[in-house]
Amino acid sequence: MQKKILGLDPGLAILGFGVIICQKNQVNLPSGSVILQDFGVISTPANTPLEQRLCTLYDDLHTVIEQFQPDLVAIEKFFFYRMSNTILVAQARGIIMLVLGQHRLPIVEFAPAQIKLALAGYGKAEKSEVQEAVARELDLDYIPRPDDAADALAIALTAWFQS
C-alpha cells in the first residue's frame, strides 16, 4: 500500500515542507521503502504586513497540497520559543490548520522530542544528527536545505515510522 506524506515545519517567516512516498511491503517482507518526492519552503518577508504574510501562507499551502495530493499530513506540535515569536507562530499555525481542514486531510502531530527520538534515537539529539538521519533514511548524499525543509522531512519520516 502506498502513502504520500506531507511534513510541515510551521513558521511565519518560513514554513518548511517535505513530501515522501512510502510503500509498505507485504507481511513477510521488510518494513517497506520511502522515496523523496520534493521539499522546500514557503517564505514571507519580514517587512510585509502580517495579514499579507498570512495570506501568502494560505495561498501557497493550498498550492502545495493541490500539487502533491498527500494522503496524510504530519506537523510539528506547537512549541514555545521566545514570547515575541510565539504569537506570530501561533497565527501562522492557525492558518496552516485551517488549510488542512479545508482539504479534509488527516493530521498527525509530533513534539520536537518525538521527532528527534524517531530519527536519531535520542529525544535530545542535536539538529545536525536529525538532519544526517534524514539524508540517510532518504538515501541522499546531501542534507536537504534550508533547515526548515529538512525539519519538515524529519516530521514526515516520523509519521512514516509511526504508521
Side-chain angles (χ1 to χ4, degrees), residues 3-71:
K3 181 184 285 189
K4 191 178 295 188
I5 302 173
L6 170 63
L8 296 175
D9 181 29
L12 177 62
I14 301 173
L15 165 62
F17 70 88
V19 184
I20 58 174
I21 300 171
C22 310
Q23 181 72 44
K24 281 222 185 246
N25 289 330
Q26 296 176 357
V27 178
N28 295 330
L29 298 175
S31 62
S33 63
V34 61
I35 299 168
L36 172 64
Q37 184 171 21
D38 202 0
F39 63 89
V41 296
I42 298 169
S43 300
T44 66
N47 59 349
T48 305
L50 176 61
E51 62 276 9
Q52 290 180 6
R53 295 175 81 182
L54 295 173
C55 284
T56 297
L57 289 178
Y58 179 88
D59 292 339
D60 289 2
L61 185 54
H62 272 293
T63 300
V64 167
I65 290 169
E66 289 162 8
Q67 178 179 355
F68 295 110
Q69 300 289 309
D71 301 303

Side-chain angles (χ1 to χ4, degrees), residues 48-144:
T48 305
L50 176 61
E51 62 276 9
Q52 290 180 6
R53 295 175 81 182
L54 295 173
C55 284
T56 297
L57 289 178
Y58 179 88
D59 292 339
D60 289 2
L61 185 54
H62 272 293
T63 300
V64 167
I65 290 169
E66 289 162 8
Q67 178 179 355
F68 295 110
Q69 300 289 309
D71 301 303
L72 176 68
V73 178
I75 186 168
E76 186 176 50
K77 279 187 182 175
F78 189 64
F79 183 75
F80 292 92
Y81 299 100
R82 298 182 315 266
M83 189 55 179
S84 62
N85 193 31
T86 300
I87 292 171
L88 295 175
V89 173
Q91 289 173 321
R93 195 170 190 284
I95 294 297
I96 294 165
M97 298 304 279
L98 171 65
V99 171
L100 299 177
Q102 288 176 325
H103 285 271
R104 298 198 180 350
L105 289 165
I107 301 166
V108 292
E109 297 181 88
F110 300 103
Q114 288 177 287
I115 298 162
K116 292 175 181 181
L117 179 63
L119 271 288
Y122 175 59
K124 293 185 179 182
E126 296 294 322
K127 183 180 274 292
S128 62
E129 294 174 284
V130 174
Q131 292 174 342
E132 289 168 8
V134 166
R136 185 174 54 253
E137 290 295 332
L138 295 173
D139 198 27
L140 303 174
D141 58 359
Y142 61 93
I143 292 174

